[in-house]
Amino acid sequence: MTGKDTGLVGREEERSRLSELVAPPYAESRMLLLLGEPGMGKTVLLAEAAREATLAGVHVLAVAGLESEQDLAFAGLHQLLRPVLDRVACLPVRQAEALRGAFGLSADPVPPDSLLTGIAVLTLLSGLSDAGPLLVAADDAQWLDRASLDALAFAARRLEAEHLVLLATARGTVPPTGLERDFPQLLLPPLSLPDAGRLLDRQPRPPRGRFREQVLAQAAGNPLALIELSKMIAADPAAARRWAAEPLPLTGQLTAIMTAQYGALPREARAALLLAAVADSPDLTAAAVPGLSAVALAPAEAAGLIRLDAPGPQFTHPLVRSAVYHGAPFAERAAAHLQIADAVRDQPDRYAWHLAAAALKPDEHVASLLEDSAAQAQRRGGTRPGTSRRAQPRRAGQGPQAAGRRGPGPARRAGRLGPRPGGQGPHADLRPGPAPRRPAEGRMVTAVVRPERRGARHPDLGRRRCIPEVAGAGVGCRRPGRDRRLPDRATRSVRQGTGRPGRSRRPGRAGDRSRRPAGRLG
């Protein structure tokens, strides 16, 4: 929903509070988190507040979370601070090095330090506010990458007398992780019935009679729903009868409307719109991506699905992008991902993820690229994109050795792969044993790990552990110097939960417990 579409009908109380919040001078730092369901007008209110602040002489730094960048470490922070990157040189040396390393701008990055990165963001924003009032505007904070959100939240909680306002928006009624505490919140309620009626009256072809009543009932005060439903009724009055018979949840209803608008576009416009949805970045131009041209997107712009601004094509609402992306068959989405991947070969993270999104089955080359991307993110101090939900399906069918190598951490990899060469580490006395006599699926393997010397206090030493066996790997456990398996009675006792051979908790219950998965011991 854009200001062009709505003209900001209603919301007098919220607009008054935001105007007071961003009006200079700032005697102290101020913060506000704007919450609301999709289509409630959060972006419009944020844009209006930023416009008022700019007119009042406030310096505005803005960032908008993108769903396609939520796994790119520090992507949001880079977007926010890009206009003032020249000021990084004014920071203390260690802080400047940490921030450059987080952005991948240093030839010899220092080891990642989230504390130092957060302090660098705080110092930079504080310095900018010394030169004049500053507004930090963060839209769709729920889609900011975790590293950026953590750095911003760290800095925000330490702002005191700086001439700075932090204004953020997030979808839903629950704040994003990191913004739950110490952040004042403003929840946008649905429009009142009189305001909803005023908004309908401002549409080019407002619905009348029973159609009007039906739109008001279905939209339930959601401004975007009011606009889109009135458009659909004007184009197809029978749509109201269909919705009355089969009411849909609000978001599903809006998605259905936008999918129908997408399907009505010419083939060339649909292909261009899908490319824009897959890229989800205004930086990609027609020169970089053939088919993503203003001419091809003109019908989509006329339908109100996209805006062709100076930076590049931008969807009028995140739900539009979601509807376009998920409304296309997988084959078309995969082809678009491959086309975008070819245009971003110089950006390893994006290149790897677009290839992964286009993969129909596990691919070792793509998995290696994702692993390299994860390692690079770790070196910069961000989250591990290689372990995100986007990457996980691509590894699902790989063998246990590959899955072990790409596991979440060294300890868990050690548990999957066994000892390192040379027998180092607390699990060094575990090594592959003979193939199990019974099927491995659903079975628990008992391992005994002993300390190298008395008095060791490692939590995994000196007691039995139940380790889920890797299905199909044919790996058992044995002690060095012995070829036989651990006694069956030890296995039975651990399954029963006692941890002691030959003893059970209650007579007569051992048989029942042996059929259940073993619990954690110790």
Side-chain angles (χ1 to χ4, degrees), residues 54-388:
T54 301
L55 292 176
V58 176
H59 183 197
V60 178
L61 290 177
V63 58
L66 297 173
E67 188 177 8
S68 63
E69 292 188 357
Q70 61 183 336
D71 294 325
L72 283 171
F74 295 110
L77 195 61
H78 181 264
Q79 183 188 154
L80 177 72
L81 300 180
R82 187 177 180 181
V84 293
L85 283 180
D86 58 320
R87 299 290 298 269
V88 174
C90 302
L91 298 176
V93 175
R94 291 186 61 202
Q95 295 181 29
E97 289 177 348
L99 206 51
R100 290 195 187 99
F103 294 156
L105 301 177
S106 176
D108 187 21
V110 298
D113 188 329
S114 57
L115 176 63
L116 203 55
T117 303
I119 293 175
V121 173
L122 174 62
T123 305
L124 181 58
L125 294 180
S126 180
L128 291 171
S129 68
D130 288 341
L134 175 67
L135 170 64
V136 176
D139 195 18
D140 283 325
Q142 78 280 354
W143 281 334
L144 287 176
D145 62 279
R146 182 60 188 270
S148 296
L149 199 57
D150 285 347
L152 280 176
F154 176 91
R157 283 191 289 267
R158 286 156 179 80
L159 294 172
E160 294 180 354
E162 287 81 1
H163 309 298
L164 185 150
V165 169
L166 173 59
L167 180 58
T169 72
R171 177 179 294 188
T173 58
V174 178
T177 303
L179 302 182
E180 308 99 324
R181 301 175 57 187
D182 305 323
F183 282 80
Q185 300 170 15
L186 176 60
L187 178 63
L188 289 185
L191 289 178
S192 65
L193 188 59
D195 286 339
R198 288 170 52 206
L199 181 56
L200 281 185
D201 291 337
R202 298 186 62 169
Q203 302 310 303
R205 297 171 61 185
R208 303 296 182 190
R210 64 183 181 88
F211 289 151
R212 179 186 179 89
E213 294 177 2
Q214 196 159 359
V215 168
L216 289 171
Q218 289 281 337
N222 185 295
L224 181 62
L226 289 164
I227 295 170
E228 296 300 331
L229 287 173
S230 65
K231 288 181 181 178
M232 185 59 68
I233 294 296
D236 181 14
R241 291 190 290 272
R242 292 198 298 270
W243 288 325
E246 300 177 4
L248 299 172
L250 189 57
T251 301
Q253 188 178 76
L254 295 180
T255 302
I257 293 171
M258 295 167 186
T259 302
Q261 292 175 322
Y262 167 69
L265 295 174
R267 182 176 180 179
E268 184 181 10
R270 290 201 308 271
L273 203 58
L274 180 58
L275 284 173
V278 167
D280 197 23
S281 172
D283 297 335
L284 294 177
T285 62
V289 184
L292 193 62
S293 64
V295 175
L297 289 170
E301 185 182 28
L305 299 176
I306 204 166
R307 295 193 305 270
L308 299 179
D309 296 333
Q314 294 183 337
F315 287 95
T316 53
H317 194 276
L319 287 178
V320 179
R321 175 185 175 269
S322 177
V324 169
Y325 184 85
H326 294 290
F330 173 79
E332 294 181 14
R333 295 201 308 268
H337 276 293
L338 291 176
Q339 191 171 345
I340 298 299
D342 191 58
V344 295
R345 286 179 176 270
D346 59 334
Q347 304 176 46
D349 288 346
R350 296 175 192 265
Y351 177 64
W353 290 340
H354 281 296
L355 289 183
L360 188 58
K361 58 183 180 180
D363 187 303
E364 180 63 25
H365 172 63
V366 174
S368 298
L369 292 176
L370 289 170
E371 187 178 15
D372 293 341
S373 172
Q376 178 64 23
Q378 277 193 307
R379 284 192 292 271
R380 292 190 286 118
T383 54
R384 297 197 54 175
T387 58
S388 70

Side-chain angles (χ1 to χ4, degrees), residues 474-487:
V475 178
C477 293
R478 62 178 179 174
R479 294 273 304 281
R482 299 186 183 183
D483 292 333
R484 62 182 179 86
R485 287 187 172 276
L486 292 172

